[in-house]
Amino acid sequence: DQQVKQNSPSLSVQEGRISILNCDYTNSMFDYFLWYKKYPAEGPTFLISISSIKDKNEDGRFTVFLNKSAKHLSLHIVPSQPGDSAVYFCAANSSSNTGKLIFGQGTTLQVKP
Amino acid sequence: DAGVIQSPRHEVTEMGQEVTLRCKPISGHDYLFWYRQTMMRGLELLIYFNNNVPIDDSGMPEDRFSAKMPNASFSTLKIQPSEPRDSAVYFCASKGGSAYNEQFFGPGTRLTVL
């Protein structure tokens, strides 16, 4: 059973517009969430994270929002750039299991010039 | 720092053969993870080690898969015998410190089993 779900396999947006990537989770024990970005033929790289004590975390063009009641988080990229085209993975962690990240299936973002 | 190093980058083998994937974590990191990426299931955690000790191997698909970490700077993931359904990209990752530190991924090994 997928505890972390990214229901949109792909997303296409125009350069300069906002990209919104969504992620849902089922395990209420998750208390830390991360987004990773992956380019072809490379490993995933960390992008941004958020603790469950917050509902928003911002880093430059990237903002992650967390809605604990809905068990939903989203990544906003504003403005989107062609270099943002990649696969984005949502991941979740529980402090009771210090090492383990549970990843979603990924969403492929294409930003068109 | 060289980052997480994986070898080989590509492996093509025939069904029934033994496959060994290798990983060198970032120096000083005390956690090491093995993941498998497929289109259907995304990134799946296979096993992870803390201080060279396997902590959780519940993601290992079956007995054909085994992983070892003989020391802090080296780990292997072995598949014996390999099957076509094992074809995937296998990633190694490492991290150090607290539970919430980010994991650093290697470039992956693309395995094709014919």
Side-chain angles (χ1 to χ4, degrees), chain A residues 16-33:
Chain A
R17 307 296 289 267
I18 184 171
S19 295
I20 300 176
L21 296 95
N22 294 303
C23 179
D24 297 295
Y25 62 96
T26 57
N27 190 338
S28 58
M29 296 297 292
F30 290 147
D31 54 10
Y32 196 69
F33 304 89

Side-chain angles (χ1 to χ4, degrees), chain A residues 3-5 15-16 19-20 26 33-34 37-38 46-47 52 55 62 70 73 81 90 99 103-104 106 108-110:
Chain A
Q3 297 185 65
V4 178
K5 296 182 181 180
E15 180 179 6
S19 295
I20 300 176
T26 57
F33 304 89
L34 307 90
K37 177 179 178 179
K38 184 186 177 306
F46 170 75
L47 187 59
S52 60
D55 54 19
F62 302 90
L73 63 155
Q81 299 174 354
C90 167
F103 282 86
T108 300
L109 173 65
Q110 181 185 26

Side-chain angles (χ1 to χ4, degrees), chain B:
Chain B
D1 197 329
V4 176
I5 299 172
Q6 290 187 248
S7 65
R9 293 294 310 274
H10 302 272
E11 177 79 31
V12 180
T13 190
E14 293 189 347
M15 182 174 64
Q17 296 297 308
E18 176 181 303
V19 175
T20 299
L21 310 182
R22 297 173 176 80
C23 176
K24 176 178 168 56
I26 292 173
S27 177
H29 281 187
D30 54 353
Y31 284 87
L32 184 138
F33 306 84
W34 282 101
Y35 291 90
R36 177 171 67 176
Q37 184 190 8
T38 61
M39 289 295 292
M40 289 296 293
R41 300 179 66 86
L43 269 171
E44 297 177 274
L45 177 66
L46 300 177
I47 185 171
Y48 80 93
F49 296 82
N50 180 216
N51 293 319
N52 313 336
V53 176
I55 302 300
D56 185 343
D57 65 355
S58 59
M60 296 287 261
E62 46 198 278
D63 292 346
R64 297 184 297 106
F65 286 70
S66 62
K68 294 182 179 179
M69 192 165 185
N71 57 64
S73 59
F74 184 66
S75 177
T76 59
L77 177 67
K78 185 178 292 187
I79 308 172
Q80 181 184 21
S82 58
E83 297 182 2
R85 59 193 169 121
D86 302 330
S87 298
V89 181
Y90 291 81
F91 290 102
C92 175
S94 71
K95 80 176 183 77
S98 77
Y100 300 134
N101 284 3
E102 63 175 282
Q103 295 182 19
F104 292 83
F105 282 77
T109 295
R110 179 172 294 278
L111 173 65
T112 302
V113 183
L114 303 175

Side-chain angles (χ1 to χ4, degrees), chain A residues 66-93:
Chain A
L66 176 61
N67 182 335
K68 290 186 290 294
S69 60
K71 294 190 175 66
H72 177 84
L73 63 155
S74 60
L75 175 68
H76 292 212
I77 307 173
V78 183
S80 302
Q81 299 174 354
D84 296 330
S85 298
V87 179
Y88 290 79
F89 289 97
C90 167
N93 187 11

